[in-house]
Amino acid sequence: MKNYYIIDFDSTFTQVEALDELARISLENHPDQEKIYREIERYTNLAMEGKISFRESLAGRVNLLQANRTHLDKLIAHLKKKVSKSFSRNKEFFKEHSDTAWIVSGGFKEFITPVVSPYHIKKENIYANTFRFDAEGNIIGYDETNPLSDEGGKVKLLKQLNIDGRIFGIGDGYSDFQLKESGLIEKFYAFTENISRQSVTDKADHIAPSFDEFLYVNDLPRAISYPKNRILCLIVGDVPEIAAHILKRDGFSIRVKETLEEKYVKDVGMLLLANGESISDDVLSRADKLKTIGYLGDVKGHLSKAICNEKGIVVFDDKKNKKRNAEFIPRRMAGFINNGDTDQSRNFPNLTLPNLNRAHRLLHIHNNVPGVMAQINNIYAENNINIFSQFLMTRGEIGYAVTDIDAAYDKQMLKQLKQVDHTIKFRILYK
């Protein structure tokens, strides 16, 4: 049975609510701009939370817009820059699923079609409302016969389409959840990359902080190997806000705490510590998912380098305690997670890697003993792997082998690499 993917537009495919943005444009010089805009925003939120009917919200917003075709041109240019990051980086998914990835929205085709078309989404797979215009090109209303203009419009539309297949819904609002409630779709994913509405997330089958998360849990082709929203980044102590901002903007799941609480030890993937903070050997030895530690100062004497080496944890610090380290250290940590870079690490070989381009990057951290690279390359040879580039550096007890390969390979090979003698940690990256 074929799978179909029904995707919302406002605050899902794009970061913003299009009608709210259109109001900003059309009311730019209006003396009551802010008052009218707040009223439009109020209509949007009430409908998204299921507190008023969608038709009531739509009619109220359109009547307040005072917009025309020239305003729509400006809106389209603006929306193209506001595509949600996780959708933007997954163009290939839409190319491969152009027959089954659909946009279904209570928004309007006049601005949705030009925004989503560059993503290989077919015009016939875009379902949305349409405006009515007067002779001068002013928006005077919308087609009220379109089921998407009515309360429960998405449900009515899918009943009309009578799709033969399994349907997955992705959206941020109450109208998206109604699809699940109706029994027409297999699962509903509450998309929270841009906004999280508790009235929606409470009822969802799964919360998707990014489109990467949706693709990951459904084992679908995706631009990155592992959703960054699944990597818990713990920030401990008196750390400047800019550090958290940098890591949150990159998509990591951030927690800011005064101390390293026990409940986070088994799940933390990244740890950023203020100067003066320390980690006990017991805690460090039990942090099995920890990949990198950043320290805003000289880390010496505050954690065990030996345990970090044993567990393959990359440490970044700043011995000179420069003011810039609140930005520099988080970016180094993100560089390792995103690209495998270990440049200026305190304990690993310093390696700056080229950006990935249509390849999978295999990171093999191992004990620095003879014969490991021979084992690794024998596995590549046995599996007829096309290697694009390979890097090996050592530092003390640590060996760090990085291999960029063609994405076409048997996944069983990954298990073989993990079982190489003296392996400490193995990761796969692609983006």
Side-chain angles (χ1 to χ4, degrees):
M1 187 177 286
K2 189 178 287 188
N3 290 343
Y4 290 85
Y5 308 100
I6 304 298
I7 301 166
D8 186 35
F9 182 76
D10 294 292
S11 294
T12 298
F13 194 91
T14 60
Q15 301 169 24
V16 293
E17 292 287 326
L19 288 185
D20 295 5
E21 299 303 302
L22 180 56
R24 287 288 189 197
I25 295 167
S26 65
L27 300 167
E28 185 177 8
N29 298 313
H30 196 287
D32 294 324
Q33 177 197 20
E34 284 302 318
K35 182 179 178 182
I36 299 173
Y37 177 75
R38 283 195 298 272
E39 184 65 6
I40 290 173
E41 195 174 44
R42 186 180 72 86
Y43 273 121
T44 299
N45 289 328
L46 288 173
M48 290 298 100
E49 293 166 6
K51 294 178 179 177
I52 62 172
S53 73
F54 182 78
R55 172 155 288 190
E56 184 181 351
S57 169
L58 186 64
R61 286 180 288 167
V62 170
N63 289 338
L64 290 166
L65 280 175
Q66 301 179 36
N68 57 45
R69 290 187 186 276
T70 61
H71 295 137
L72 286 176
D73 292 338
K74 291 180 181 179
L75 175 66
I76 291 163
H78 176 63
L79 292 178
K80 285 182 176 180
K81 299 175 184 176
K82 290 291 184 179
V83 173
S84 296
K85 290 181 180 179
S86 63
F87 278 95
S88 182
R89 62 176 164 256
N90 280 292
K91 269 189 178 183
E92 283 300 310
F93 167 81
F94 292 102
K95 187 175 183 179
E96 292 179 28
H97 295 81
S98 59
D99 290 330
T100 56
W102 296 4
I103 298 293
V104 177
S105 170
F108 290 82
K109 283 188 177 182
E110 286 83 356
F111 55 73
I112 292 176
T113 300
V115 173
V116 304
S117 292
Y119 289 79
H120 312 286
I121 296 172
K122 297 177 179 179
K123 290 183 179 179
E124 60 266 32
N125 291 340
I126 301 169
Y127 294 88
N129 286 298
T130 54
F131 287 120
R132 290 191 298 111
F133 299 89
D134 65 16
E136 285 74 42
N138 297 308
I139 295 173
I140 57 172
Y142 55 88
D143 177 8
E144 296 183 11
T145 65
N146 188 324
L148 289 168
S149 71
D150 205 357
E151 175 63 20
K154 293 184 179 182
V155 173
K156 293 176 181 178
L157 174 72
L158 258 63
K159 284 181 177 178
Q160 290 179 12
L161 294 174
N162 194 26
I163 300 168
D164 183 19
R166 299 167 71 232
I167 306 172
F168 298 86
I170 313 161
D172 67 289
Y174 184 72
S175 62
D176 302 297
F177 166 70
Q178 286 178 320
L179 290 173
K180 172 64 178 179
E181 204 173 34
S182 69
L184 291 170
I185 67 175
E186 187 86 6
K187 283 187 178 180
F188 167 58
Y189 294 79
F191 187 80
T192 61
E193 183 171 325
N194 305 307
I195 188 168
S196 179
R197 309 178 200 275
Q198 189 173 348
S199 59
V200 177
T201 58
D202 284 350
K203 299 173 181 177
D205 293 302
H206 190 93
I207 297 172
S210 67
F211 191 50
D212 307 301
E213 171 74 7
F214 170 80
L215 298 175
Y216 177 79
V217 298
N218 288 291
D219 197 23
L220 292 165
R222 55 193 178 275
I224 62 175
S225 50
Y226 191 74
K228 285 190 275 189
N229 58 265
R230 284 182 168 241
I231 300 175
L232 173 60
C233 179
L234 196 60
I235 298 175
V236 177
D238 187 17
V239 174
E241 288 185 12
I242 184 64
H245 174 73
I246 289 168
L247 293 166
K248 186 174 183 179
R249 185 178 58 193
D250 205 343
F252 301 109
S253 178
I254 306 297
R255 301 288 188 280
V256 180
K257 298 293 178 180
E258 292 183 4
T259 61
L260 176 49
E261 298 174 14
E262 177 63 32
K263 65 179 180 180
Y264 293 115
V265 172
K266 67 181 179 66
D267 293 320
V268 63
M270 303 169 71
L271 182 60
L272 178 59
L273 298 168
N275 197 9
E277 297 289 336
S278 298
I279 312 176
S280 71
D281 291 356
D282 172 61
V283 167
L284 193 57
S285 65
R286 290 187 288 109
D288 293 332
K289 293 184 180 179
L290 190 54
K291 298 172 181 65
T292 181
I293 296 173
Y295 197 87
L296 302 187
D298 187 347
V299 75
K300 188 175 181 180
H302 295 283
L303 58 81
S304 170
K305 178 183 172 184
I307 294 176
C308 288
N309 289 350
E310 288 171 10
K311 298 182 73 66
I313 300 167
V314 183
V315 179
F316 297 99
D317 72 344
D318 191 342
K319 289 185 282 187
K320 296 181 180 179
N321 197 20
K322 298 175 182 177
K323 291 182 179 179
R324 65 172 184 155
N325 67 18
E327 298 181 40
F328 174 75
I329 298 298
R331 289 196 172 106
R332 290 286 81 223
M333 296 167 68
F336 173 65
I337 296 295
N338 295 335
N339 205 50
D341 295 341
T342 54
D343 183 44
Q344 300 187 55
S345 161
R346 184 64 179 267
N347 63 328
F348 260 56
N350 285 185
L351 189 57
T352 301
L353 298 162
N355 289 329
L356 274 171
N357 185 22
R358 295 184 179 276
H360 284 196
R361 175 164 290 167
L362 309 185
L363 310 179
H364 194 278
I365 301 169
H366 53 269
N367 294 317
N368 183 19
V369 296
V372 175
M373 277 307 297
Q375 292 182 68
I376 291 171
N377 284 331
N378 282 339
I379 290 170
Y380 291 143
E382 290 167 5
N383 287 275
N384 297 312
I385 297 301
N386 183 19
I387 296 177
F388 297 144
S389 57
Q390 190 170 55
F391 309 87
L392 169 66
M393 289 190 74
T394 63
R395 181 176 177 178
E397 304 164 341
I398 296 291
Y400 187 38
V402 179
T403 312
D404 291 351
I405 67 173
D406 191 299
Y409 57 87
D410 189 334
K411 300 300 186 290
Q412 282 294 116
M413 182 192 68
L414 303 180
K415 292 183 179 180
Q416 292 177 264
L417 290 167
K418 292 176 184 178
Q419 292 168 359
V420 167
D421 293 341
H422 304 290
T423 297
I424 296 173
K425 190 168 284 186
F426 176 81
R427 290 174 62 212
I428 178 170
L429 290 179
Y430 54 86
K431 59 180 179 177

